[in-house]
Amino acid sequence: MKAFAKRYLPGIGQAFRASLVLMLVCGLAYPLLMTGLSALLFPRQAGGSLIEVEGTPVAAENVGQEFQQDYFLWSRPSACHYNVYTENSSGGKTYRDGTPFPGISSGSGNYGPSNPALAKRVETDIASFLERNPDIRREDIPTDLMTASGSGLDPHISPASAEVQIPRIVKASGLSEAAVRDIISSCTGGKLLGIFGEETVNVVKVNLAIAQAMGLIQR
């Protein structure tokens, strides 16, 4: 027993001390340091990049929302419906399509290209889009407007996806085409450093600006 202790206990103690130090440094000190620095240097981003209306937070710049009104810009499809749900009188929660709301989540259906469920979902969304956007042809619908993001919370769409929705928004909102285009342009971000990624339109920002222009909210 003494031989065992003499041989192995020093190594066990060393491993324990190393684990304790790494836990304190990586699991406590480093996160606290990064949290403190981010709050000091980038307070708005560290707080979630929240957007407020009349002093009340209503959205986050980097988290999408589900919009269905004709006068709003529509987001990409989402397997989790951007966590938008309705609550019935008995306390049950369901997504707007009637499926149960499992709780706050993110992610996609993860269907492969050959999965019939994916084809059915896309065809259903295309039919619904064409019904409410009668001036648009099937072949003119941008791909990203019918495909979900990996997180299901993407706040952006492509400029082409915003462009095809302008006629519907103008008709439903009563705003001029020029006004709608100006709003979309003001909420369009360029490539990172002018090189990486693509131009994107922030749907939440656009719809807040549309709601303001229609007099639905005050900013």
Side-chain angles (χ1 to χ4, degrees):
M1 188 67 180
K2 290 183 178 180
F4 175 86
K6 183 177 181 180
R7 181 176 182 181
Y8 293 105
L9 283 183
I12 293 175
Q14 184 179 17
F16 176 78
R17 289 192 296 273
S19 297
L20 181 61
V21 170
L22 289 173
M23 181 178 67
L24 291 175
V25 172
C26 300
L28 182 62
Y30 180 76
L32 288 176
L33 176 62
M34 291 297 100
T35 300
L37 286 176
S38 62
L40 179 64
L41 300 175
F42 310 102
R44 185 171 180 276
Q45 291 86 340
S49 298
L50 300 179
I51 302 173
E52 296 185 352
V53 173
E54 297 181 349
T56 301
V58 297
E61 284 187 16
N62 299 312
V63 179
Q65 295 187 24
E66 188 174 56
F67 299 94
Q68 295 186 329
Q69 295 91 336
D70 285 342
Y71 49 79
F72 279 150
L73 192 64
W74 294 346
S75 306
R76 298 175 64 183
S78 169
C80 61
H81 294 267
Y82 295 92
N83 292 306
V84 174
Y85 63 87
T86 57
E87 186 172 353
N88 57 36
S89 57
S90 60
K93 299 176 181 179
T94 59
Y95 289 131
R96 289 180 174 175
D97 63 359
T99 57
F101 173 68
I104 301 299
S105 64
S106 64
S108 65
N110 217 25
Y111 296 138
S114 61
N115 194 310
L118 176 61
K120 181 179 179 181
R121 198 275 298 162
V122 172
E123 287 297 330
T124 300
D125 285 348
I126 289 176
S128 176
F129 185 86
L130 293 175
E131 180 180 358
R132 296 173 66 181
N133 296 267
D135 298 328
I136 305 302
R137 298 177 302 174
R138 179 188 178 99
E139 58 268 28
D140 293 332
I141 303 175
T143 302
D144 68 293
L145 202 55
M146 292 295 122
T147 54
S149 65
S151 68
L153 302 175
D154 189 353
H156 301 106
I157 59 175
S158 66
S161 290
E163 176 71 23
V164 299
Q165 300 185 60
I166 289 176
R168 184 198 73 244
I169 295 172
V170 169
K171 182 178 180 180
S173 67
L175 302 176
S176 68
E177 181 177 335
V180 173
R181 288 187 179 277
D182 285 344
I183 289 173
I184 292 174
S185 178
S186 68
C187 300
T188 299
K191 297 181 179 181
L192 179 63
L193 301 178
I195 302 174
F196 304 106
E198 300 292 338
E199 289 189 341
T200 55
V201 179
N202 191 298
V203 176
V204 174
K205 286 185 174 181
V206 168
N207 288 339
L208 284 173
I210 288 175
Q212 181 187 20
M214 293 177 62
L216 300 177
I217 61 172
Q218 301 295 323
R219 291 292 300 274

